[in-house]
Amino acid sequence: MQDTWNPDVYERFQQERSRPFYDLADMVRGQEGWRVLDLGCGTGKLTQYLHQKLAARETVGLDASEKMLLKARQFEGDGLRFEFGHIEDDPVPGKFDLVFSNAALQWVTGHEALFEKLSAKLQPGGQLAVQIPAMDSEPVHIVAAETAQEFSKELGGYKRRLEVLTPEDYARLLYKLGFVEQEVRLQIYGHVLPSREAVIEWYRGTLLTTYQQRLDAETYERFVERYTQKLMKYLEDERPFFFPYKRILMWGRLDNSKFKIQNRKAVFM
Ligand SMILES: C[S@@+](CC[C@H](N)C(=O)[O-])C[C@H]1O[C@@H](n2cnc3c(N)ncnc32)[C@H](O)[C@@H]1O
């Protein structure tokens, strides 16, 4: 499958996209000398920020896009490195003090099993910090799914599955996985964009890449044109355009003992 992540398109909204990253980083109760894993690290600048903020001993940024990693690798050094791989394949060996992921886990299916795997990557007392957009029930996503239905033949029946759970389900999941402390919040980031057309540019950098991967260039442009035509009915024609963006931020800390609580049953490690 082609690598359709485009660092320049993605970073067009860098200021808006990085705000939740900093909020998530602030939720971490950091200590010096940690081993940190950043899943879906993207262009790496924010991973470097996290590495320095925590004064980590070692930070590994993992991403499945060589184009994103090409940018990220310029920040390597001083215990920070980047690796190619898919989150679901768990390619980075060993245990971590912090597993961190900003705006990436929505691309991975089966969150209950995924979070179980992520908690198994943590040392006793380890922390998990995750931020996921929660826009699945908004027109921007519903219209993309409807457009995918119209292009079903060209897409071979593919439609992006909606993976994101409710905040309360993430809270339950963290509890079940033995996170003795946790904080889960739904936050609305109010973005002021130049016009409603900027929303299309925003999604070209993320959601639409999944359709771009599966279509030739000409069909993809027709897809975006149809998506735009349908979506504009839901977005007010105002300049600037106010775009409320929902995100779930969550943090949890495992018990700091040799006993790991697994599915709320104590198991000796
Ligand atoms: C929206 S960007 C977020 C990048 C970065 N975390 C940030 O906050 O700017 C999502 C990133 O996740 C990566 N990604 C998506 N699915 C992935 C997977 N299954 N395994 C590894 N990386 C993945 C993409 O390549 C992309 O760089």
Side-chain angles (χ1 to χ4, degrees):
M1 204 165 289
Q2 47 170 329
D3 180 357
T4 47
W5 283 93
N6 182 331
D8 299 327
V9 176
Y10 181 72
E11 289 193 335
R12 212 166 282 165
F13 298 100
Q14 193 180 23
Q15 209 188 338
E16 289 82 359
R17 295 200 204 273
S18 55
R19 263 176 55 204
F21 177 98
Y22 295 122
D23 290 345
L24 186 66
D26 285 345
M27 288 168 84
V28 175
R29 280 61 159 172
Q31 268 173 31
E32 283 186 18
W34 271 0
R35 190 162 188 249
V36 174
L37 179 62
D38 182 11
L39 298 170
C41 60
T43 50
K45 199 169 179 351
L46 298 173
T47 314
Q48 186 194 39
Y49 167 87
L50 185 69
H51 179 66
Q52 291 173 347
K53 174 181 161 80
L54 296 172
R57 169 171 50 93
E58 182 188 358
T59 300
V60 183
L62 179 83
D63 206 282
S65 163
E66 280 295 1
K67 283 188 202 156
M68 294 298 232
L69 287 172
L70 204 62
K71 283 226 157 184
R73 293 213 165 97
Q74 67 180 301
F75 302 111
E76 280 192 335
D78 247 352
L80 171 64
R81 69 173 204 277
F82 295 92
E83 285 188 16
F84 176 85
H86 290 90
I87 296 164
E88 50 276 41
D89 297 342
D90 184 17
V92 189
K95 299 263 185 186
F96 291 84
D97 301 290
L98 170 68
V99 172
F100 186 96
S101 183
N102 185 57
L105 297 189
Q106 71 275 16
W107 299 103
V108 184
T109 53
H111 275 196
E112 297 209 357
L114 171 67
F115 275 63
E116 194 168 345
K117 266 196 200 170
L118 300 185
S119 62
K121 297 290 299 168
L122 293 171
Q123 308 271 18
Q127 298 178 31
L128 177 70
V130 174
Q131 184 275 115
I132 312 183
M135 296 292 282
D136 289 357
S137 54
E138 297 300 309
V140 278
H141 275 244
I142 293 170
V143 168
E146 285 172 8
T147 312
Q149 188 64 40
E150 290 180 20
F151 282 73
S152 179
K153 208 168 101 215
E154 293 88 334
L155 286 165
Y158 172 81
K159 198 190 291 176
R160 164 116 202 271
R161 264 177 61 185
L162 305 178
E163 288 309 320
V164 178
L165 308 177
T166 61
E168 55 275 30
D169 279 343
Y170 283 115
R172 275 190 204 101
L173 187 55
L174 291 180
Y175 172 76
K176 203 173 117 193
L177 291 171
F179 288 89
V180 288
E181 287 174 78
Q182 63 159 271
E183 203 182 318
V184 179
R185 54 166 120 122
L186 179 69
Q187 194 161 326
I188 316 290
Y189 291 88
H191 299 309
V192 180
L193 304 180
S195 68
R196 60 182 179 165
E197 282 74 22
V199 174
I200 308 295
E201 284 312 297
W202 180 290
Y203 278 99
R204 268 186 190 271
T206 55
L207 169 71
L208 296 179
T209 60
T210 189
Y211 296 111
Q212 190 180 7
Q213 279 168 3
R214 292 165 172 88
L215 297 170
D216 61 59
E218 185 267 327
T219 315
Y220 175 62
E221 284 313 316
R222 275 199 295 117
F223 183 98
V224 177
E225 209 175 292
R226 182 68 180 135
Y227 173 68
T228 307
Q229 189 187 38
K230 287 165 78 75
L231 185 62
M232 286 305 142
K233 289 184 209 146
Y234 296 94
L235 310 181
E236 225 170 295
D237 190 5
E238 57 183 12
R239 280 166 195 265
F241 179 78
F242 183 72
F243 186 38
Y245 201 101
K246 284 188 275 184
R247 295 178 184 272
I248 301 169
L249 290 89
M250 61 192 110
W251 168 87
R253 175 158 38 198
L254 288 176
D255 194 10
N256 192 15
S257 72
K258 288 188 182 143
F259 292 96
K260 186 177 173 198
I261 314 243
Q262 268 181 359
N263 294 328
R264 302 318 285 178
K265 277 190 233 138
V267 177
F268 190 70
M269 298 296 286

